[in-house]
Amino acid sequence: MNINNLQTISKKLVFLQNKQSILQTKPNCFRGKNITLTYAKNGKSFALPRFISEEMREARIMNKAAIDEIKQRAGFIKPYKAEKEDLVRLEDQSFPKVLWMNPKNGQRYYLLKTGKTADGKNIVRILNEDGSFIKEAVLKKKNIIQFEWYDKYKISDFNNLTHAEIMELFIKRYNPFIEVKQCYLKNQKDNNIKNLLKQIDENTAAISCAFQFSHNISPTSKLKKLYYKILNKRVKVNTENLYSDLLNFRETKDLNFEAIPPHIRIFVASGNNGKNAYNSILALKNIEGVGSLDLKGKLAHYSASRNSYFTQHYERGEFPAFQVPDGFMLTDTNVIDIPLKSDKFKELKTLHGTSISVSIRAAKAVLNQMMDGIL
């Protein structure tokens, strides 16, 4: 098997005085989610989207951080070294800020928005987790496109917001420096992405897809047999036949994301129908699946597509919601997400779903891009 676009990590054997030692060369830093593999027997090539890459390394680090955030929600270091003005900003609920985890070193930093440049880029103050000042910086300008079903339904419990508007709240809460655009599909038969392509510009970094083409896992259905093989760990998959299997599996109704420029990351919700279901979009090229964690940091019962071939990212997907006299609190960040004066103080139903998880992961991943080269 010949491997294209990939430098082989080799091992060298050194013999000294009849003693053998194995020296491992330093691993290469792979980039790109789709390493191309070519089989010499038939000359066919296909992308292996879940191969080792910089993005997948980042995913594993961020998955661990997401679990830590859930388990340590009240246990982070207090910013006791913050200057007086920074402390006011940190305590001000309306001030744009976020606690960001740098995937390069695992350290957390406060990013506080202090203004904008003439060309619209955000200026931030960067603090250590203890509040001590590091430096000011200008963030790269980026945007995310929300790609969702067109849904006029307004959720009465949450001030008549739509699903897309609530997902935008989560994106902005985890990345307050991002511009968010919306694009909609009419229904499950709509596989036209022309409108999506029109939304893309030079600053588009990611697409967050909060929808699913859900199927139940079945060993008897020819169409679903490939998924059954991969999701059932007791069944071995013939990798050499994977290319043709995937081609045969694709349905005409599946969205064709291959027209999306390859530098734009496409995050797709793993689906909400549990362990016996999968989202067929996750088999397509350049797609990254995002599943949900519950409030204990475990895989949520509703999170589908439970295999690393389909789902590589995991974020919290359950958020208790409250209505208080100043408005609605949905994102569990101790801030008012939807201002609304009332005399009410009550717990609402818990928001949950992989739509929330994919929104959060897309926001965090793009923030990593915006901070690249700054720390």
Side-chain angles (χ1 to χ4, degrees):
M1 180 176 70
N2 299 320
I3 301 180
N4 300 329
N5 304 330
L6 179 64
Q7 291 182 332
T8 303
I9 301 177
S10 61
K11 290 183 178 180
K12 295 182 179 180
L13 298 179
V14 179
F15 297 88
L16 297 174
Q17 297 180 348
N18 295 323
K19 293 182 178 181
Q20 177 178 305
S21 65
I22 302 178
L23 303 181
Q24 173 70 61
T25 58
K26 185 178 179 180
N28 294 284
C29 183
F30 303 130
R31 292 204 63 82
K33 298 175 289 300
N34 293 90
I35 308 302
T36 301
L37 302 184
T38 301
Y39 289 107
K41 291 182 180 180
N42 54 25
K44 289 185 176 181
S45 297
F46 68 95
L48 193 61
R50 316 314 175 213
F51 209 81
I52 183 172
S53 68
E54 180 63 19
E55 289 86 354
M56 294 302 104
R57 183 198 69 83
E58 178 191 83
R60 289 191 293 273
I61 293 172
M62 294 179 72
N63 291 345
K64 183 180 184 304
I67 295 171
D68 291 342
E69 286 175 11
I70 294 171
K71 293 182 176 180
Q72 304 172 10
R73 276 186 288 168
F76 292 122
I77 299 172
K78 304 300 181 184
Y80 62 94
K81 290 186 179 181
E83 299 173 11
K84 185 177 180 179
E85 189 174 0
D86 287 332
L87 194 58
V88 170
R89 291 165 173 160
L90 288 169
E91 293 176 348
D92 184 352
Q93 291 189 0
S94 63
F95 196 87
K97 59 185 175 294
V98 71
L99 182 60
W100 169 67
M101 191 277 293
N102 185 350
K104 294 180 180 178
N105 59 15
Q107 300 298 311
R108 291 182 171 86
Y109 303 89
Y110 286 103
L111 308 180
L112 313 178
K113 181 179 176 179
T114 58
K116 284 195 172 186
T117 62
D119 58 353
K121 295 178 181 177
N122 287 290
I123 304 171
V124 298
R125 280 174 66 83
I126 304 175
L127 314 179
N128 278 311
E129 192 176 359
D130 62 12
S132 55
F133 175 72
I134 299 177
K135 65 178 181 178
E136 280 199 345
V138 176
L139 300 184
K140 297 178 177 68
K141 199 172 182 179
K142 300 287 183 182
N143 66 59
I144 287 176
I145 300 176
Q146 282 181 270
F147 197 29
E148 299 210 13
W149 302 125
Y150 180 67
D151 189 356
K152 292 182 179 180
Y153 176 70
K154 296 182 181 295
I155 305 172
S156 59
D157 284 349
F158 304 116
N159 201 35
N160 290 320
L161 293 187
T162 63
H163 180 272
E165 289 170 332
I166 292 176
M167 294 310 106
E168 182 179 2
L169 277 176
F170 279 95
I171 291 175
K172 289 284 187 71
R173 193 59 68 200
Y174 284 85
N175 187 345
F177 319 111
I178 195 74
E179 177 190 356
V180 180
K181 300 180 178 182
Q182 281 87 24
C183 185
Y184 298 99
L185 287 170
K186 296 177 182 178
N187 50 57
Q188 286 209 2
K189 295 181 180 179
D190 182 7
N191 61 2
N192 190 341
I193 66 167
K194 289 182 180 179
N195 290 333
L196 179 62
L197 291 172
K198 290 177 182 177
Q199 294 268 25
I200 294 173
D201 60 31
E202 61 182 3
N203 296 321
T204 302
I207 298 168
S208 177
C209 303
F211 56 79
Q212 61 179 342
F213 286 83
S214 181
H215 304 274
N216 290 326
I217 299 168
S218 168
T220 59
S221 168
K222 184 177 180 181
L223 183 65
K224 302 166 186 175
K225 198 170 182 179
L226 172 64
Y227 282 89
Y228 177 77
K229 285 182 179 180
I230 296 176
L231 289 169
N232 188 338
K233 294 180 180 179
R234 293 173 297 176
V235 180
K236 292 184 178 180
V237 179
N238 186 337
T239 308
E240 189 167 348
N241 296 330
L242 186 57
Y243 173 75
S244 57
D245 285 343
L246 283 173
L247 286 183
N248 293 333
F249 184 82
R250 286 188 60 169
E251 302 181 54
T252 56
K253 72 177 183 180
D254 281 338
L255 295 163
N256 180 12
F257 284 109
E258 294 182 15
I260 304 297
H263 69 279
I264 297 174
R265 299 181 71 174
I266 306 170
F267 297 94
V268 176
S270 69
N272 294 335
N273 292 338
K275 65 180 182 179
N276 292 321
Y278 58 85
N279 183 357
S280 62
I281 298 177
L282 298 178
L284 303 182
K285 186 177 180 181
N286 291 333
I287 302 299
E288 300 178 59
V290 186
S292 286
L293 302 171
D294 63 20
L295 291 174
K296 295 181 180 180
K298 304 293 185 181
L299 182 63
H301 68 90
Y302 53 82
S303 191
S305 310
R306 297 184 180 187
N307 183 279
S308 60
Y309 186 86
F310 305 117
T311 305
Q312 304 79 43
H313 305 266
Y314 286 91
E315 285 286 352
R316 181 180 169 186
E318 299 181 2
F319 289 80
F322 299 88
Q323 184 175 4
V324 297
D326 288 331
F328 295 85
M329 303 175 72
L330 309 182
T331 59
D332 198 19
T333 49
N334 295 321
V335 300
I336 301 298
D337 295 297
I338 309 171
L340 179 70
K341 294 294 184 181
S342 72
D343 59 354
K344 296 180 179 179
F345 195 104
K346 62 180 181 179
E347 183 175 0
L348 306 173
K349 63 183 179 182
T350 297
L351 287 170
H352 72 276
T354 54
S355 294
I356 297 174
S357 302
V358 74
S359 302
I360 294 172
R361 179 51 61 97
K364 288 182 176 181
V366 174
L367 184 55
N368 292 344
Q369 295 182 32
M370 297 170 78
M371 287 293 294
D372 189 40
I374 294 177
L375 286 180

